[in-house]
Structures are given as structure tokens and as C-alpha cells.
Amino acid sequence: MADVLTLDQFAKQMDHAARKLNSEIRADLRKAGKAAADDMRALIAPYSKKIPVTIRVNTAGNFSVMITIGGPGIPETILLEFGNKGGEAKATFRHPVFAPAGTHGARVRDDGTPILWVEQPKHPYVLPVVVMRGPWVAEIMQGSLAKAFQPSV
């Protein structure tokens, strides 16, 4: 009978550790995600008024965090980070702007609106944060695991 009680106690301790681990990791992921999102907002704010307010942090499932950026009508979220398709290695990206009538080099749309294509510098704000925060996030996760497996008192 002692073996059954010991096994039952072990199972309860493992269940407790699993719940504690889930709680610790979820809280730490949210903390890490919030810090990364704050860093992203700070990096992109000098170049965009729209993007910083679209950066959101959500925990998904037990062991993941998702940072969403942008939405409909905000194509610059991708352009400022990655540039045009195939232009990852370039420091700039091209995009159209409305041009005053008679602007040299402007093309005219079907509706008569003059459009001029311009080069604009990219301003990455996601990858630099991932690189900078990676070691810190790993440290937080190791701490979560250590806390979860501490003997309960």
C-alpha cells in the first residue's frame, strides 16, 4: 500500500509542477513579449505614427507568445522592415506618392492623378529586437523551468 501512496503523491506533485510550469511560462512569455513590443514601438515611432499603436502581444496556448503588427490599410508595416519583394538586401524600398501636376517623371493614373515613385530608407524594428532580446528571453525561460520544478513547501 505504501507504494501506491507514494505513486499517488508523485503523480500529484507532477500535476502541481505542470500547472505551475504552465503558469510561470505563460507569465514570463507575456513579460518577454511586452518588453519586445515596447522595444519595437520605440524603434519604429520616429518613422511611423500608425505602426506603434498596432503592435499587440497575445499569449497563445500554453507555450507561445504572438506579437501582431499592422492590419488592413497599413502596408508600411512590412515595407519598413523588409522592403519590396526581393529587396531584402537593399537599404531602401520603392513606393508611389501623389505628385503635383506637371512633376517631371510622374506617371498619370487612369483617373488622371499624377504618381511619382520614390525610394525610401527601410527602418527595421522587428529583427533588431529579436536579436537583442533573444538571450534575455532564453534566460527568463530557464528561470521559469527552474521555478516550476522547485519542491513545493
Side-chain angles (χ1 to χ4, degrees), residues 7-8 17 38 41 54 64 69 74 80 88 92 96 121 128 131 149:
L7 186 57
D8 184 53
D38 289 345
R41 286 184 197 102
T54 70
S64 63
I69 304 168
I74 309 177
L80 286 169
E88 292 84 7
T92 61
V131 170
F149 286 101

Side-chain angles (χ1 to χ4, degrees), residues 23-145:
S23 175
E24 291 286 339
I25 288 178
R26 199 170 169 89
D28 287 344
L29 280 171
R30 180 165 285 286
K31 176 182 172 184
K34 184 181 178 325
D38 289 345
D39 289 345
M40 289 175 195
R41 286 184 197 102
L43 279 177
I44 198 60
Y47 309 103
S48 172
K49 290 181 172 78
K50 294 179 188 177
I51 296 173
V53 298
T54 70
I55 299 174
R56 305 265 189 266
V57 178
N58 295 299
T59 51
N62 292 333
F63 303 109
S64 63
V65 65
M66 182 170 44
I67 298 174
T68 56
I69 304 168
I74 309 177
E76 61 269 26
T77 56
I78 299 294
L79 291 172
L80 286 169
E81 179 73 22
F82 300 109
N84 302 105
K85 184 176 181 178
E88 292 84 7
K90 291 179 66 179
T92 61
F93 64 94
R94 290 178 47 80
H95 66 91
V97 295
F98 295 108
T103 301
H104 178 71
R107 294 191 321 206
V108 179
R109 293 191 333 192
D110 291 340
D111 66 1
T113 307
I115 298 292
L116 184 66
W117 282 81
V118 297
E119 294 278 333
Q120 180 174 337
K122 294 191 301 189
H123 297 286
Y125 58 100
V126 176
L127 186 58
V129 171
V130 171
V131 170
M132 178 181 73
R133 288 282 183 182
W136 178 72
V137 171
E139 189 176 305
I140 284 178
M141 298 314 295
Q142 286 175 342
S144 293
L145 288 168

